[in-house]
Each structure stands twice: as structure tokens, then as C-alpha cells.
Amino acid sequence: MELKLTHVTKQYGTKTAVDHINMTLREGIYGLLGANGAGKTSLMRLVCLIQKRSGGEITLDGREIQEMGEEYRSLLGYLPQNFGYYPEFTAQKFLLYMSALKGLNKHAAKRRIEELLDVTGLTDDRNRKIKTFSGGMKRRLGIAQAMLNNPKILILDEPTAGLDPKERVHFRNLISSFSKDKIVLLSTHIVSDIEYIADEILVMKQGKLIRCGKPQTLLKDLEGKVWECLVPFEAVAEMERHFTVGNLKNEEQGCLLRIVSDICPVKGAKEAQPSLEDIYLYDFQREEDKR
């Protein structure tokens, strides 16, 4: 299975949200990284046929997805960032309702709902109203509805937004367990969400795809651009003005800084092993100063 995007573009008036994106997705988990406003949601909505493209084409195994219509939608599972639900519905009633909307056979849907309530840890809460659910439970219900039709393409937009660390780990493991034989596209601006589960990392900035590759390859690209140095406490503010500081730790002799920079930031700084978070910082450094 191959989902191919060729010069995909989306404009809102004079603003270009998605700018000639080219990428090919096959079975595996793709982590889509980018700051808020980078164009991630617009891109995902185009892949889900929720919005119309301004240009370019998207094909699945060589067929234009717009022409496939319902055949394509039947292969799709989508969890939007702002997942809508009916607060007075119970979890089970909501999933039955969603399965009917997706045109699933009633008996098959009931079996599928049982499976999904189990794997998402919601079996004991099946008859509780959704309005009583925590944020983590609502997101788990969201992934359950996205998985009702056992989709071949799973699109998840900021799925861990608003979750605490424990819930994020649970959700991450859930996605990993669902990903076999599927194309999974997961957007986030939280690097740790995809650090351990993504087969490939895609980085968007201002509507463009600026990086694409396996985590090991991207980390290699950043070798020689991550530094650690010990500086006096009074020098920290000055260092933060001139460099992107990824981490700061107080020591007895001064402050230990982790800096992302093309050049050695200060005499005596030592090269450090890059992380995915360093890649994110490198690509988005000082962006707030340009706004």
C-alpha cells in the first residue's frame, strides 16, 4: 500500500497553509512534527478529504483518492485534534452510533466494539456518560471510534494534547499496538510522543516539509551541532539571547547548558549526542523572534 502526495497545496486566501508537499507513505508509523500553525492539521484534513486541495494530487496505489470517494473513506480512520462527542451518550452508545454512521454491519459492529472497549481500557466504563470522562478517557474513546472500521490508513491529529504523562504513554503504546499493516500518520509538537514509536519523522515548517527520514538518519544530520558547556550563573541570560538552549541544569560550579548551534558556542564546550528534541529545536530555533 502506498499513499503518495505530489505538490499538494492548500491556500486560504493569500495564506499558503500547505506549500507543495511531496511525500510517499507506506505501512508504518510516521511522526509529523511542527510548531502550532506549521500546516499539520491542514495537511491531514486534505489526506482525509475533509478539505479540498488548491493544487497537487494524492493517490493511493496510483489511484486519485478524490475519485475513489467512499472506497477510500472506508479505508480511513481519523481522530481530529478537537474530537467531537455527545456528552449525554455512554461510551457504548456513542461507538454504536459511530459504527452506524460508518455503515458497519450491526452484529459485526457489536463484536468490534467489545474488542475496542477492551484494548482501550474502557470496558468497565462502557455505560458511563462521556461527560464524566477524563481527558485521557475521551482520547481513548476517540481512538476507538477511529479504529471501528479497522482502517488501513489511520490519521491522528495531536492525539495526546492535554493528557498527563502517564496517559500519554498509555496512548502511545495503544497507537503502536494498532499500527501493524497500516499507514499511521500522527501529528504532534511533543517530540516524546513519537520518539519511541515512529518509523519515520516528517518535519513541517510554515507549510513546507523541511525534513523527512528515519530517526537515526536525522540524528546523524545533527552531529556536531549539539553542545554542552558549563558557564557562570551570571552568563546564562546572555547565552540564551545568542543561542538556542535546550536544557539548563544548575551545578555547584555554574550552570550546565545544552545548546543547539552550528558553531561552538563558547570555548571549552563539548559536542553532545543529538536527540530528536534537538532536531526540533534546531529547525524551529528563534522562530518566535521572527513573528
Side-chain angles (χ1 to χ4, degrees):
M1 187 167 54
E2 180 181 274
L3 187 67
K4 188 172 184 177
L5 286 72
T6 307
H7 297 300
V8 171
T9 302
K10 177 62 181 176
Q11 290 181 299
Y12 302 98
T14 57
K15 176 179 167 57
T16 302
V18 178
D19 194 354
H20 292 86
I21 293 286
N22 294 292
M23 63 184 186
T24 301
L25 308 180
R26 298 181 181 88
E27 290 170 1
I29 300 178
Y30 295 82
L32 182 59
L33 273 176
N36 291 330
K40 304 188 302 297
T41 294
S42 291
L43 179 64
M44 292 184 140
R45 289 171 70 86
L46 295 177
V47 171
C48 292
L49 291 178
I50 294 170
Q51 290 182 327
K52 288 188 176 180
R53 282 164 257 153
S54 303
E57 65 174 19
I58 304 176
T59 59
L60 180 64
D61 293 334
R63 299 172 64 194
E64 170 59 59
I65 63 171
Q66 281 182 330
E67 294 171 9
M68 291 177 69
E70 283 307 312
E71 184 186 350
Y72 175 72
R73 288 186 179 90
S74 70
L75 302 172
L76 197 64
Y78 177 47
L79 176 59
Q81 183 176 356
N82 298 311
F83 167 56
Y85 59 90
Y86 297 90
E88 295 297 328
F89 276 27
T90 64
Q92 183 164 355
K93 185 178 178 182
F94 175 75
L95 291 175
L96 282 167
Y97 172 72
M98 293 302 295
S99 63
L101 288 183
K102 294 186 181 196
L104 302 181
N105 172 279
K106 192 172 182 180
H107 295 294
K110 284 184 176 180
R111 286 197 302 273
R112 182 66 175 156
I113 288 167
E114 290 297 323
E115 294 171 9
L116 290 169
L117 286 170
D118 182 41
V119 296
T120 56
L122 292 173
T123 299
D124 293 342
D125 302 291
R126 65 196 307 150
N127 294 317
R128 280 179 57 187
K129 289 187 176 181
I130 301 172
K131 67 181 180 182
T132 68
F133 280 15
S134 67
M137 292 168 74
K138 288 173 185 172
R139 298 311 278 181
R140 280 185 270 148
L141 183 62
I143 189 65
Q145 69 78 28
M147 290 296 299
L148 277 168
N149 57 331
N150 196 20
K152 291 294 183 184
I153 302 167
L154 186 58
I155 309 293
L156 306 167
D157 191 2
E158 298 281 358
T160 63
L163 302 190
D164 66 34
K166 185 179 178 183
E167 288 173 326
R168 287 208 341 249
V169 170
H170 186 170
F171 198 90
R172 208 162 59 212
N173 293 341
L174 200 56
I175 301 308
S176 191
S177 69
F178 277 142
S179 66
K180 187 171 168 39
D181 302 326
K182 290 178 176 54
I183 293 172
V184 181
L185 182 60
L186 186 162
S187 88
T188 185
H189 60 278
I190 303 170
V191 179
S192 60
D193 281 351
I194 57 172
E195 192 164 9
Y196 301 108
I197 64 170
D199 299 301
E200 290 205 29
I201 306 291
L202 312 167
V203 183
M204 277 189 80
K205 183 176 182 180
Q206 296 175 351
K208 294 180 183 290
L209 191 64
I210 61 170
R211 282 185 194 270
C212 179
K214 295 190 178 299
Q216 311 92 290
T217 305
L218 298 187
L219 290 173
K220 197 168 181 61
D221 290 344
L222 214 65
E223 286 180 1
K225 297 178 180 179
V226 183
W227 311 83
E228 286 188 350
C229 55
L230 191 68
V231 302
F233 295 114
E234 60 272 17
V236 171
E238 184 69 14
M239 294 293 288
E240 288 184 313
R241 273 195 292 273
H242 290 91
F243 297 101
T244 299
V245 178
N247 199 22
L248 181 155
K249 184 181 179 184
N250 288 324
E251 305 273 355
E252 280 186 24
Q253 304 88 348
C255 205
L256 183 65
L257 304 182
R258 184 180 178 89
I259 291 173
V260 182
S261 170
D262 286 317
I263 60 170
C264 180
V266 69
K267 188 177 178 181
K270 295 179 180 178
E271 287 186 24
Q273 193 69 29
S275 68
L276 284 182
E277 188 172 74
D278 294 322
I279 292 172
Y280 186 87
L281 290 171
Y282 182 82
D283 286 334
F284 292 91
Q285 59 188 327
R286 307 203 172 280
E287 189 164 273
E288 68 277 7
D289 296 338
K290 298 174 187 174
R291 291 176 178 167

PDB file of all heavy atoms in Angstrom, residues 178-195:
ATOM      1  N   PHE A 178      -1.776  -0.768  17.502  1.00  0.00           N
ATOM      2  CA  PHE A 178      -2.746  -0.736  16.404  1.00  0.00           C
ATOM      3  C   PHE A 178      -2.079  -0.624  15.028  1.00  0.00           C
ATOM      4  O   PHE A 178      -2.752  -0.747  14.005  1.00  0.00           O
ATOM      5  CB  PHE A 178      -3.681   0.477  16.554  1.00  0.00           C
ATOM      6  CG  PHE A 178      -4.834   0.261  17.492  1.00  0.00           C
ATOM      7  CD1 PHE A 178      -5.263   1.282  18.325  1.00  0.00           C
ATOM      8  CD2 PHE A 178      -5.508  -0.951  17.529  1.00  0.00           C
ATOM      9  CE1 PHE A 178      -6.327   1.093  19.187  1.00  0.00           C
ATOM     10  CE2 PHE A 178      -6.582  -1.142  18.386  1.00  0.00           C
ATOM     11  CZ  PHE A 178      -6.990  -0.118  19.218  1.00  0.00           C
ATOM     12  N   SER A 179      -0.781  -0.374  14.976  1.00  0.00           N
ATOM     13  CA  SER A 179      -0.149   0.089  13.739  1.00  0.00           C
ATOM     14  C   SER A 179       0.220  -1.003  12.737  1.00  0.00           C
ATOM     15  O   SER A 179       0.601  -0.696  11.612  1.00  0.00           O
ATOM     16  CB  SER A 179       1.119   0.879  14.085  1.00  0.00           C
ATOM     17  OG  SER A 179       2.086   0.028  14.677  1.00  0.00           O
ATOM     18  N   LYS A 180       0.125  -2.262  13.119  1.00  0.00           N
ATOM     19  CA  LYS A 180       0.551  -3.345  12.230  1.00  0.00           C
ATOM     20  C   LYS A 180      -0.227  -3.304  10.907  1.00  0.00           C
ATOM     21  O   LYS A 180      -1.439  -3.212  10.891  1.00  0.00           O
ATOM     22  CB  LYS A 180       0.334  -4.688  12.930  1.00  0.00           C
ATOM     23  CG  LYS A 180       0.896  -5.881  12.175  1.00  0.00           C
ATOM     24  CD  LYS A 180       0.820  -7.127  13.047  1.00  0.00           C
ATOM     25  CE  LYS A 180       1.078  -8.403  12.311  1.00  0.00           C
ATOM     26  NZ  LYS A 180       2.092  -8.393  11.313  1.00  0.00           N
ATOM     27  N   ASP A 181       0.508  -3.372   9.796  1.00  0.00           N
ATOM     28  CA  ASP A 181      -0.072  -3.400   8.445  1.00  0.00           C
ATOM     29  C   ASP A 181      -0.900  -2.161   8.118  1.00  0.00           C
ATOM     30  O   ASP A 181      -1.827  -2.220   7.312  1.00  0.00           O
ATOM     31  CB  ASP A 181      -0.951  -4.647   8.248  1.00  0.00           C
ATOM     32  CG  ASP A 181      -0.176  -5.935   8.490  1.00  0.00           C
ATOM     33  OD1 ASP A 181       1.029  -5.952   8.171  1.00  0.00           O
ATOM     34  OD2 ASP A 181      -0.761  -6.902   9.005  1.00  0.00           O
ATOM     35  N   LYS A 182      -0.576  -1.033   8.751  1.00  0.00           N
ATOM     36  CA  LYS A 182      -1.307   0.199   8.485  1.00  0.00           C
ATOM     37  C   LYS A 182      -0.343   1.346   8.179  1.00  0.00           C
ATOM     38  O   LYS A 182       0.820   1.321   8.590  1.00  0.00           O
ATOM     39  CB  LYS A 182      -2.151   0.607   9.701  1.00  0.00           C
ATOM     40  CG  LYS A 182      -3.333  -0.287   9.990  1.00  0.00           C
ATOM     41  CD  LYS A 182      -4.060   0.180  11.238  1.00  0.00           C
ATOM     42  CE  LYS A 182      -5.322  -0.652  11.486  1.00  0.00           C
ATOM     43  NZ  LYS A 182      -5.084  -2.094  11.534  1.00  0.00           N
ATOM     44  N   ILE A 183      -0.859   2.343   7.483  1.00  0.00           N
ATOM     45  CA  ILE A 183      -0.171   3.632   7.394  1.00  0.00           C
ATOM     46  C   ILE A 183      -0.721   4.476   8.534  1.00  0.00           C
ATOM     47  O   ILE A 183      -1.930   4.739   8.592  1.00  0.00           O
ATOM     48  CB  ILE A 183      -0.453   4.326   6.045  1.00  0.00           C
ATOM     49  CG1 ILE A 183       0.177   3.545   4.889  1.00  0.00           C
ATOM     50  CG2 ILE A 183       0.079   5.763   6.068  1.00  0.00           C
ATOM     51  CD1 ILE A 183      -0.219   4.075   3.511  1.00  0.00           C
ATOM     52  N   VAL A 184       0.136   4.874   9.453  1.00  0.00           N
ATOM     53  CA  VAL A 184      -0.285   5.717  10.579  1.00  0.00           C
ATOM     54  C   VAL A 184       0.446   7.055  10.482  1.00  0.00           C
ATOM     55  O   VAL A 184       1.677   7.098  10.466  1.00  0.00           O
ATOM     56  CB  VAL A 184       0.030   5.059  11.940  1.00  0.00           C
ATOM     57  CG1 VAL A 184      -0.432   5.956  13.087  1.00  0.00           C
ATOM     58  CG2 VAL A 184      -0.626   3.688  12.048  1.00  0.00           C
ATOM     59  N   LEU A 185      -0.318   8.138  10.382  1.00  0.00           N
ATOM     60  CA  LEU A 185       0.245   9.483  10.352  1.00  0.00           C
ATOM     61  C   LEU A 185      -0.202  10.204  11.611  1.00  0.00           C
ATOM     62  O   LEU A 185      -1.396  10.415  11.820  1.00  0.00           O
ATOM     63  CB  LEU A 185      -0.217  10.234   9.097  1.00  0.00           C
ATOM     64  CG  LEU A 185       0.323  11.646   8.899  1.00  0.00           C
ATOM     65  CD1 LEU A 185       1.844  11.650   8.811  1.00  0.00           C
ATOM     66  CD2 LEU A 185      -0.281  12.275   7.641  1.00  0.00           C
ATOM     67  N   LEU A 186       0.760  10.533  12.456  1.00  0.00           N
ATOM     68  CA  LEU A 186       0.481  11.108  13.781  1.00  0.00           C
ATOM     69  C   LEU A 186       1.162  12.465  13.881  1.00  0.00           C
ATOM     70  O   LEU A 186       2.378  12.561  13.794  1.00  0.00           O
ATOM     71  CB  LEU A 186       1.006  10.149  14.851  1.00  0.00           C
ATOM     72  CG  LEU A 186       0.732  10.419  16.328  1.00  0.00           C
ATOM     73  CD1 LEU A 186       0.939   9.142  17.134  1.00  0.00           C
ATOM     74  CD2 LEU A 186       1.626  11.513  16.899  1.00  0.00           C
ATOM     75  N   SER A 187       0.366  13.515  14.011  1.00  0.00           N
ATOM     76  CA  SER A 187       0.956  14.853  14.126  1.00  0.00           C
ATOM     77  C   SER A 187       1.060  15.268  15.588  1.00  0.00           C
ATOM     78  O   SER A 187       0.209  14.921  16.408  1.00  0.00           O
ATOM     79  CB  SER A 187       0.118  15.883  13.360  1.00  0.00           C
ATOM     80  OG  SER A 187      -0.904  16.409  14.173  1.00  0.00           O
ATOM     81  N   THR A 188       2.104  15.999  15.901  1.00  0.00           N
ATOM     82  CA  THR A 188       2.316  16.459  17.272  1.00  0.00           C
ATOM     83  C   THR A 188       3.372  17.560  17.284  1.00  0.00           C
ATOM     84  O   THR A 188       4.099  17.746  16.309  1.00  0.00           O
ATOM     85  CB  THR A 188       2.771  15.296  18.184  1.00  0.00           C
ATOM     86  OG1 THR A 188       2.856  15.750  19.532  1.00  0.00           O
ATOM     87  CG2 THR A 188       4.121  14.747  17.764  1.00  0.00           C
ATOM     88  N   HIS A 189       3.427  18.304  18.375  1.00  0.00           N
ATOM     89  CA  HIS A 189       4.584  19.183  18.602  1.00  0.00           C
ATOM     90  C   HIS A 189       5.304  18.739  19.866  1.00  0.00           C
ATOM     91  O   HIS A 189       6.194  19.422  20.354  1.00  0.00           O
ATOM     92  CB  HIS A 189       4.144  20.653  18.701  1.00  0.00           C
ATOM     93  CG  HIS A 189       3.184  20.936  19.815  1.00  0.00           C
ATOM     94  ND1 HIS A 189       1.830  20.716  19.715  1.00  0.00           N
ATOM     95  CD2 HIS A 189       3.385  21.398  21.068  1.00  0.00           C
ATOM     96  CE1 HIS A 189       1.246  21.038  20.856  1.00  0.00           C
ATOM     97  NE2 HIS A 189       2.169  21.453  21.694  1.00  0.00           N
ATOM     98  N   ILE A 190       4.912  17.549  20.363  1.00  0.00           N
ATOM     99  CA  ILE A 190       5.570  16.966  21.542  1.00  0.00           C
ATOM    100  C   ILE A 190       6.467  15.826  21.061  1.00  0.00           C
ATOM    101  O   ILE A 190       5.989  14.762  20.670  1.00  0.00           O
ATOM    102  CB  ILE A 190       4.527  16.436  22.557  1.00  0.00           C
ATOM    103  CG1 ILE A 190       3.567  17.564  22.970  1.00  0.00           C
ATOM    104  CG2 ILE A 190       5.219  15.857  23.780  1.00  0.00           C
ATOM    105  CD1 ILE A 190       2.365  17.103  23.767  1.00  0.00           C
ATOM    106  N   VAL A 191       7.768  16.063  21.055  1.00  0.00           N
ATOM    107  CA  VAL A 191       8.717  15.138  20.443  1.00  0.00           C
ATOM    108  C   VAL A 191       8.643  13.745  21.063  1.00  0.00           C
ATOM    109  O   VAL A 191       8.697  12.736  20.361  1.00  0.00           O
ATOM    110  CB  VAL A 191      10.156  15.691  20.549  1.00  0.00           C
ATOM    111  CG1 VAL A 191      11.154  14.720  19.941  1.00  0.00           C
ATOM    112  CG2 VAL A 191      10.251  17.046  19.867  1.00  0.00           C
ATOM    113  N   SER A 192       8.485  13.671  22.387  1.00  0.00           N
ATOM    114  CA  SER A 192       8.491  12.375  23.063  1.00  0.00           C
ATOM    115  C   SER A 192       7.318  11.487  22.637  1.00  0.00           C
ATOM    116  O   SER A 192       7.366  10.267  22.797  1.00  0.00           O
ATOM    117  CB  SER A 192       8.482  12.554  24.583  1.00  0.00           C
ATOM    118  OG  SER A 192       7.322  13.270  24.987  1.00  0.00           O
ATOM    119  N   ASP A 193       6.261  12.086  22.062  1.00  0.00           N
ATOM    120  CA  ASP A 193       5.120  11.292  21.606  1.00  0.00           C
ATOM    121  C   ASP A 193       5.509  10.310  20.508  1.00  0.00           C
ATOM    122  O   ASP A 193       4.912   9.255  20.360  1.00  0.00           O
ATOM    123  CB  ASP A 193       4.010  12.201  21.061  1.00  0.00           C
ATOM    124  CG  ASP A 193       3.185  12.833  22.166  1.00  0.00           C
ATOM    125  OD1 ASP A 193       3.363  12.435  23.330  1.00  0.00           O
ATOM    126  OD2 ASP A 193       2.373  13.724  21.874  1.00  0.00           O
ATOM    127  N   ILE A 194       6.500  10.682  19.710  1.00  0.00           N
ATOM    128  CA  ILE A 194       6.851   9.846  18.555  1.00  0.00           C
ATOM    129  C   ILE A 194       8.267   9.279  18.627  1.00  0.00           C
ATOM    130  O   ILE A 194       8.646   8.460  17.803  1.00  0.00           O
ATOM    131  CB  ILE A 194       6.691  10.632  17.239  1.00  0.00           C
ATOM    132  CG1 ILE A 194       7.555  11.903  17.261  1.00  0.00           C
ATOM    133  CG2 ILE A 194       5.231  10.967  16.996  1.00  0.00           C
ATOM    134  CD1 ILE A 194       7.589  12.620  15.944  1.00  0.00           C
ATOM    135  N   GLU A 195       9.013   9.702  19.632  1.00  0.00           N
ATOM    136  CA  GLU A 195      10.428   9.326  19.715  1.00  0.00           C
ATOM    137  C   GLU A 195      10.628   7.816  19.692  1.00  0.00           C
ATOM    138  O   GLU A 195      11.561   7.310  19.075  1.00  0.00           O
ATOM    139  CB  GLU A 195      11.033   9.924  20.990  1.00  0.00           C
ATOM    140  CG  GLU A 195      12.531   9.841  21.028  1.00  0.00           C
ATOM    141  CD  GLU A 195      13.130  10.765  22.084  1.00  0.00           C
ATOM    142  OE1 GLU A 195      12.373  11.343  22.900  1.00  0.00           O
ATOM    143  OE2 GLU A 195      14.357  10.904  22.084  1.00  0.00           O
TER     144      GLU A 195
END
